[in-house]
Amino acid sequence: MVWLLCLYQLKLITPADFPALVLHVFTRYLTLMRHIQSTYYLEPAGSHGVWGLDDYQFLPFLFGSSQLLHHPFIRPLSIHQPLILDEYGHDYMYLGQVAFVNSVKNVEGLRWHSPMLDDISAAKSWEKVEGGMRRMFVAEVLRKLPVMQHFLFGSLVPAVEGMNREEEMGVPSEEEETEGGEVVVMKDGMKHVHQQSSWGDCCGIKVPSSVGAAQEMKKRMGGEGLRRVPFD
């Protein structure tokens, strides 16, 4: 999304291009992200558990509800119908994202594994859903201040004045980094080293992402009828 923002800042894309960017570029990005998540077992940066829309993506619900605003027969409650998800999930982002969420949960039914999505489906129209998604995006994404790493600021996307620098936070420079992909961690005032491939007992046991765990089980046991693993 930042890459597209840079192209917009350079006036290489215009507002007239936005529908095509969402329906073609962004949907291909989603497909790529799901492939990467399942191939490399990526864990979400943070999870709200069952009280979140999805651990990985928000925009498919925002864009997807807009895409369904004037659909003649698909209603918010239609996300509970497997036939609708199978038939139209590839054409409508909202349905496709719900189907993806369903595929990685260990119980059947949005009511149990995704109560927020279940509550939203009770809306009378997609206009209500889309308006709620806009407000939620502002509150839960734009107004949040997450910790950011490995981001290159520049003239197109400048860092705001007063933002902490790595040196001020005690993060070593590339020349000072420990060899072998190790990470120096401070825990209770004590400094110790972790390998990036695992974490010490002091930081808890490393748990794979739900997507990764499900894929690994399929590789070891074969078949598609395995018990699915929850996000949380």
Side-chain angles (χ1 to χ4, degrees):
M1 298 303 294
V2 176
W3 177 68
L4 293 177
L5 172 62
C6 291
L7 295 181
Y8 179 75
Q9 299 280 59
L10 293 170
K11 301 187 184 305
L12 296 176
I13 58 178
T14 66
D17 300 316
F18 290 172
L21 288 174
V22 172
L23 296 175
H24 298 285
V25 178
F26 184 72
T27 52
R28 295 186 67 179
Y29 162 78
L30 277 181
T31 301
L32 175 62
M33 287 299 99
R34 291 170 186 167
H35 178 69
I36 291 176
Q37 289 159 14
S38 60
T39 301
Y40 297 102
Y41 302 173
L42 293 189
E43 300 177 42
S47 174
H48 291 286
V50 298
W51 298 110
L53 293 177
D54 177 65
D55 279 339
Y56 294 97
Q57 305 285 348
F58 185 102
L59 286 176
F61 295 104
L62 175 58
F63 293 153
S65 57
S66 299
Q67 190 183 12
L68 288 163
L69 278 177
H70 305 294
H71 199 280
F73 61 86
I74 295 179
R75 299 288 183 262
L77 275 175
S78 299
I79 66 173
H80 296 281
Q81 302 175 25
L83 289 177
I84 292 291
L85 298 181
D86 292 341
E87 184 73 20
Y88 299 100
H90 297 291
D91 299 321
Y92 295 96
M93 278 181 285
Y94 197 102
L95 303 181
Q97 193 66 22
V98 171
F100 175 71
V101 171
N102 281 336
S103 71
V104 293
K105 297 295 184 176
N106 68 337
V107 293
E108 295 292 337
L110 289 171
R111 178 182 180 185
W112 305 109
H113 63 64
S114 300
M116 182 176 289
L117 285 175
D118 180 64
D119 290 344
I120 293 171
S121 71
K124 294 182 178 180
S125 65
W126 287 111
E127 286 83 357
K128 292 283 188 181
V129 175
E130 195 261 355
M133 289 296 174
R134 285 177 178 268
R135 293 190 294 273
M136 190 185 300
F137 183 74
V138 171
E140 297 297 329
V141 179
L142 297 183
R143 289 182 178 171
K144 297 294 184 182
L145 296 174
V147 175
M148 180 178 290
Q149 293 179 314
H150 313 303
F151 188 92
L152 297 178
F153 294 98
S155 59
L156 295 176
V157 185
V160 298
E161 185 176 352
M163 183 179 291
N164 292 328
R165 299 178 63 85
E166 289 185 341
E167 296 83 1
E168 298 170 358
M169 300 302 294
V171 178
S173 63
E174 292 186 2
E175 293 77 12
E176 298 172 337
E177 285 185 353
T178 311
E179 292 293 333
E182 297 174 330
V183 180
V184 178
V185 179
M186 292 296 295
K187 181 70 173 180
D188 297 329
M190 299 180 63
K191 182 182 294 186
H192 53 281
V193 177
H194 286 165
Q195 296 289 336
Q196 286 190 344
S197 59
S198 63
W199 296 99
D201 291 339
C202 61
C203 293
I205 301 172
K206 188 174 180 62
V207 178
S209 68
S210 59
V211 175
Q215 291 294 325
E216 187 65 22
M217 287 180 67
K218 289 178 181 179
K219 287 181 180 179
R220 294 181 181 181
M221 301 174 63
E224 297 294 328
L226 300 172
R227 185 178 68 85
R228 290 170 290 183
V229 182
F231 269 117
D232 54 351

